[in-house]
Amino acid sequence: MVEQYAHLDQAFHALADATRRGIIAELARGERTVSRLAEPYEMSLAAVSKHVGVLVGAGLVHRQKVGREQVCTLQRERLAELEQWVATYARFWGDRLDALEMALKQEETKGDG
């Protein structure tokens, strides 16, 4: 069962970094070269390329060499998978919190009577 979620572990690890989340946000607007992805950051092109490598390893980004450039595209399927996993637990906790709220209101009503 743990191996079943290994890809989710990699994806959440990749998204735990602000730079990588910024790269994902930029790629949500369309494909970009690594050079263009590096523009807003005060770090070397090699450092940004390493961040992209983590995203590629997590299955969140596809990187392809086109001429002299590395072109990156967002892998929306993996993001949809993450969204589905989070939604499952959001529903679970939402239901639990709703039940708690109802129980507390019932207790409150008993105390008033």
Side-chain angles (χ1 to χ4, degrees):
M1 178 136 166
V2 172
E3 289 180 26
Q4 174 185 356
Y5 295 111
H7 63 284
L8 292 175
D9 292 345
Q10 286 181 308
F12 283 122
H13 167 75
L15 293 172
D17 182 85
T19 299
R20 293 191 286 265
R21 289 191 305 273
I23 290 169
I24 291 290
E26 184 61 27
L27 290 174
R29 296 185 195 118
E31 72 178 22
R32 302 286 190 265
T33 63
V34 173
S35 300
R36 183 159 175 200
L37 290 171
E39 288 174 4
Y41 301 103
E42 292 185 18
M43 62 178 74
S44 68
L45 186 59
V48 172
S49 187
K50 285 183 181 182
H51 281 292
V52 169
V54 171
L55 293 167
V56 169
L60 296 167
V61 171
H62 175 74
R63 178 171 47 189
Q64 177 181 350
K65 188 165 180 141
V66 178
R68 297 178 65 189
E69 295 283 348
Q70 297 278 331
V71 178
C72 301
T73 53
L74 187 61
Q75 296 297 293
R76 296 179 189 278
E77 306 81 27
R78 180 56 54 97
L79 286 175
E81 215 177 303
L82 293 175
E83 180 183 21
Q84 181 180 1
W85 186 88
V86 168
T88 298
Y89 290 95
R91 281 191 304 275
F92 170 80
W93 284 108
D95 292 347
R96 296 288 188 257
L97 291 172
D98 289 347
L100 176 61
E101 181 182 23
M102 240 164 57
L104 290 172
K105 284 182 180 179
Q106 288 174 351
E107 285 297 315
E108 213 174 79
T109 303
K110 286 181 187 176
D112 291 343

